[in-house]
Amino acid sequence: MYKQLAKSIREYKSVSIKAPVFVALESLMECMIPFLIATLVNEIKAGCSFETILLYGAGLLVLAGLCLLFGVLAGFMAATASSGFARNLRKDLFYRIQDFSFENIDKFSASSLVTRMTTDVTNVQNAYMMIIRAGIRCPMMLIFSFIMAFLMGGRMALIFLAVAPVLGFGLFFVIRKVMPIFRSVFQKYDNLNGSIQENIQGMRVVKSYVRQDFEKKKFEKAAQEVCADFTRAEKILAINNPLMQLCMYTVVAFVMSFGSYTIISSMGVDLDVGQLSALLTYGFQILSSLMMFSMVFVMITIATESAERIVEVLSENSTLTSPENGATQVKDGSVDFEDVSFKYSKHAERMALSNINLHIKSGETIGIIGGTGSSKSSLIQMISRLYDATEGVVKVGGRDVREYDLEALRDQVAVVLQKNVLFSGTIKENLRWGNPNATDEEMEEACKLACADEFIQRFPEKYDTYIEQGGSNVSGGQKQRLCIARALLKKPKILILDDSTSAVDTKTDALIRKGFAQFIPDTTKIIIAQRVASVEQADRIVVMDGGTISAVGTHEELLKTNQIYQEVYNSQNKVGDDDAR
């Protein structure tokens, strides 16, 4: 785990090393100050001159100045190192997620991935800062202070070693108890973020069904579970501080009692006032360091679970990868399904698709129709390798899709999915997702083909109109047409429309299909639709039923031979007649 995390330090390795060095120097200066004060007290008691006092005073100022300088430098280096480490960690996580297949994302869930990139990375960042600063400072202070305390007080300093087992036992007990709690609390964090994400994305539905009170109760329950776990953990962690205080004041009482007795009984020979004051100061430094050390352990305990969750993502390999020296040229837009069966998970009990055999020629227009749950979308997602076939082979351009370089394959297959997504930015910026180098003329041509230019021209800013996140300031039909235009800019060999014209009227739908036939005749067009009108002009229509192909044929052939197609056609025409009346 630590080796995996260390890879994200990279260019911040230098400051990560410098921070502990400055911390060590700061600790050394801080431990020298009580020694110098003790010597000064003894000199004053012995009746030293004012010049001697000034000399010691100047020495104390130099030490204090150096202590401040090293402390500032250590803080700056630690902050730079931890912030940079967190930045690299988020970047590595994000890049890794970009390579994930849908199967990988389904394994973690979107809300869990968000929690890992935010809360978990912040916990690791805080722990890293504590480790390279407080985690170094505490042992250094312990070592330096104990050495100086032994020089000052001799065997009396052994009292500091006596309390170490008590503190060690306390720390062991705390860590053992809180680790399982933190392990469960982060899983509940995922559920909490999932509830928030689902609510915000579905806000229109929530308000439409007046379910705000239900959502509030669901959120309150998730938040209460997180709160309850953190409260349990904090109650256990709270034991740590009183235990430290008990040890600290026990040591102080011992040093004061036996130190005073030694001064009086030896007349200042074995121990003097200056040494006693230094011994007390070193005692506080030792116990304060131990207390801080325990806080570092607590922070590391919290961060360990976060680190494991981060490494789990960084170590996950995508289930879809490009082959070594994969093919980069797609010959044409032909598509072949040969004995293809597919299920979404290895543990799934049934296949989503079974025994699919379908051959599509380059340039053909293929319609796919079927009821909800007939796996129409699952079928086309294997063409661009969003998923891999569980059994059988899917070919594009006469070659198995698994032999292609993923980027090269997906560059030649444009998919307008059922859930259309626009990103915050101008219309031009959204269109250039299809082709970063597209000219204004090419964008306008694609939008005319998708029947989007007409409504864009009505906007005051036209193609520079700003689209809100998710395309919330345009209608569903406008969003679909912009997504189609974006796909057309790729100039693909295969264009897949997954129910992508469901939000446009039948006239516009017909115009889009007519434009495809005229302007991109060599592109293979696969249209998934619920409306028969959207696919009846296709070269062939595939009727899906329960994850299998029920029939393939033209509109006229299917009307005569396929019962499913007849039922769909008749029900839609009946609806049309009723509306007309």
Side-chain angles (χ1 to χ4, degrees):
M1 180 179 74
Y2 298 110
K3 284 183 180 178
Q4 182 71 55
L5 291 174
K7 293 176 183 177
S8 297
I9 299 174
R10 293 197 289 276
E11 69 269 31
Y12 296 97
K13 198 174 288 182
S14 173
V15 286
S16 295
I17 294 170
K18 288 177 184 175
V21 171
F22 285 122
V23 166
L25 291 172
E26 178 194 11
S27 302
L28 180 60
M29 295 302 106
E30 199 169 331
C31 288
M32 290 299 295
I33 290 173
F35 177 79
L36 205 60
I37 291 174
T39 307
L40 176 59
V41 169
N42 289 336
E43 288 287 344
I44 293 172
K45 184 184 174 185
C48 69
S49 64
F50 185 67
E51 287 78 9
T52 303
I53 296 173
L54 286 177
L55 185 64
Y56 275 99
L60 286 171
L61 282 174
V62 170
L63 287 176
L66 289 173
C67 189
L68 176 64
L69 175 64
F70 293 140
V72 169
L73 290 172
F76 174 76
M77 297 293 177
T80 303
S82 61
S83 299
F85 172 56
R87 188 197 72 170
N88 286 345
L89 205 52
R90 286 193 179 95
K91 177 183 175 182
D92 293 344
L93 280 168
F94 188 77
Y95 279 33
R96 174 65 69 177
I97 292 168
Q98 294 304 302
D99 290 335
F100 278 178
S101 66
F102 286 173
E103 185 179 336
N104 295 118
I105 292 172
D106 292 341
K107 174 182 174 180
F108 290 104
S109 84
S111 59
S112 177
L113 291 172
V114 169
T115 305
R116 292 168 202 243
M117 289 188 65
T118 52
T119 305
D120 288 334
V121 171
T122 300
N123 288 339
V124 172
Q125 176 186 351
N126 292 337
Y128 187 65
M129 177 180 271
M130 291 285 278
I131 289 168
I132 62 174
R133 193 172 185 191
I136 299 298
R137 176 183 168 82
C138 296
M140 289 293 180
M141 287 294 290
L142 280 171
I143 294 168
F144 292 152
S145 295
F146 184 76
I147 291 171
M148 297 304 292
F150 196 80
L151 291 173
M152 291 282 103
R155 286 178 297 176
M156 195 179 296
L158 295 176
I159 182 62
F160 300 125
L161 291 179
V163 299
V166 178
L167 297 174
F169 174 78
L171 278 175
F172 174 77
F173 172 79
V174 167
I175 291 169
R176 186 178 178 184
K177 289 292 183 182
V178 298
M179 275 297 283
I181 299 174
F182 283 123
R183 190 168 289 115
S184 67
V185 81
F186 285 117
Q187 293 172 352
K188 290 174 182 176
Y189 250 131
D190 291 344
N191 297 334
L192 182 66
N193 284 345
S195 175
I196 296 168
Q197 183 182 25
E198 185 179 53
N199 180 268
I200 292 172
Q201 287 179 343
M203 186 60 73
R204 286 178 175 82
V205 179
V206 173
K207 291 186 179 295
S208 298
Y209 284 89
V210 196
R211 297 285 284 178
Q212 292 95 323
D213 289 341
F214 173 79
E215 288 294 315
K216 286 176 184 175
K217 288 177 182 176
K218 188 169 76 171
F219 174 82
E220 186 179 353
K221 181 183 177 183
Q224 185 58 41
E225 287 178 353
V226 172
C227 176
D229 276 358
F230 264 120
T231 303
R232 281 174 57 211
E234 290 295 339
K235 283 179 180 178
I236 297 171
L237 291 174
I239 297 171
N240 190 52
N241 198 48
L243 181 64
M244 291 291 170
Q245 295 285 353
L246 174 66
C247 292
M248 180 181 290
Y249 290 118
T250 300
V251 169
V252 169
F254 176 85
V255 171
M256 286 292 290
S257 302
F258 285 90
S260 301
Y261 173 78
T262 304
I263 291 172
I264 294 168
S265 61
S266 68
M267 302 297 289
V269 175
D270 294 336
L271 188 72
D272 213 339
V273 177
Q275 292 168 299
L276 179 62
S277 66
L279 198 59
L280 284 171
T281 303
Y282 288 129
F284 276 110
Q285 285 182 348
I286 289 169
L287 294 170
S288 296
S289 297
L290 285 170
M291 187 175 290
M292 182 59 71
F293 204 53
S294 72
M295 294 305 297
V296 172
F297 264 106
V298 169
M299 182 65 74
I300 292 173
T301 301
I302 295 172
T304 298
E305 182 58 30
S306 290
E308 287 177 357
R309 284 158 53 86
I310 290 169
V311 170
E312 192 179 2
V313 176
L314 292 174
S315 304
E316 179 77 7
N317 293 316
S318 176
T319 55
L320 297 177
T321 55
S322 293
E324 192 174 346
N325 302 318
T328 56
Q329 295 296 320
V330 180
K331 178 184 172 185
D332 55 41
S334 62
V335 180
D336 298 285
F337 291 85
E338 298 177 356
D339 300 317
V340 170
S341 294
F342 167 73
K343 58 182 178 181
Y344 283 97
S345 167
K346 295 177 183 177
H347 309 293
E349 294 181 2
R350 59 179 292 273
M351 293 286 187
L353 291 165
S354 299
N355 302 317
I356 302 297
N357 283 282
L358 178 64
H359 303 281
I360 302 170
K361 296 175 184 176
S362 183
E364 262 194 304
T365 299
I366 299 295
I368 301 179
I369 200 163
T372 302
S374 58
S375 298
K376 303 184 297 295
S377 297
S378 303
L379 181 73
I380 58 95
Q381 286 175 353
M382 285 186 284
I383 296 173
S384 57
R385 280 198 79 196
L386 296 178
Y387 289 101
D388 268 342
T390 307
E391 298 173 7
V393 177
V394 179
K395 293 181 179 179
V396 170
R399 188 191 286 263
D400 189 335
V401 292
R402 287 169 288 203
E403 295 176 7
Y404 284 108
D405 176 80
L406 262 177
E407 191 172 323
L409 173 66
R410 290 175 180 171
D411 239 7
Q412 295 301 322
V413 182
V415 184
V416 184
L417 294 170
Q418 197 168 8
K419 292 181 180 179
N420 298 284
V421 177
L422 293 175
F423 298 89
S424 52
T426 63
I427 289 176
K428 282 183 180 180
E429 288 170 343
N430 270 277
L431 291 173
R432 285 197 171 111
W433 274 66
N435 179 3
N437 302 313
T439 63
D440 290 352
E441 292 74 20
E442 287 174 327
M443 285 189 284
E444 193 169 326
E445 183 184 6
C447 287
K448 285 177 179 176
L449 199 58
C451 295
D453 183 69
E454 54 177 316
F455 73 79
I456 294 174
Q457 294 297 341
R458 291 199 295 268
F459 291 141
E461 301 295 326
K462 295 184 171 49
Y463 282 82
D464 291 313
T465 300
Y466 190 83
I467 300 293
E468 300 292 343
Q469 187 178 16
S472 59
N473 60 332
V474 291
S475 70
Q478 290 171 338
K479 192 190 298 185
Q480 285 189 334
R481 284 177 277 175
L482 286 171
C483 289
I484 292 170
R486 181 174 64 189
L488 289 172
L489 280 170
K490 287 184 74 172
K491 298 178 181 176
K493 286 188 168 65
I494 301 170
L495 174 64
I496 299 171
L497 303 179
D498 186 359
D499 207 15
S500 305
T501 56
S502 58
V504 302
D505 58 85
T506 52
K507 180 184 175 182
T508 304
D509 187 9
L511 288 171
I512 292 172
R513 285 184 281 109
K514 183 181 177 182
F516 288 169
Q518 291 177 354
F519 293 97
I520 49 172
D522 297 328
T523 297
T524 303
K525 297 165 281 292
I526 300 174
I527 303 169
I528 296 176
Q530 299 292 337
R531 294 190 299 227
V532 170
S534 298
V535 297
E536 63 182 350
Q537 300 301 320
D539 296 319
R540 286 184 295 157
I541 301 168
V542 179
V543 181
M544 300 288 296
D545 181 37
T548 61
I549 294 178
S550 173
V552 179
T554 63
H555 172 68
E556 290 76 14
E557 289 171 348
L558 293 173
L559 273 180
K560 293 175 183 178
T561 60
N562 187 261
Q563 185 180 353
I564 296 173
Y565 193 78
Q566 289 167 358
E567 288 174 357
V568 174
Y569 178 79
N570 290 334
S571 65
Q572 290 180 4
N573 278 342
K574 184 175 183 296
V575 170
D577 293 340
D578 289 343
D579 288 346
R581 285 196 291 270

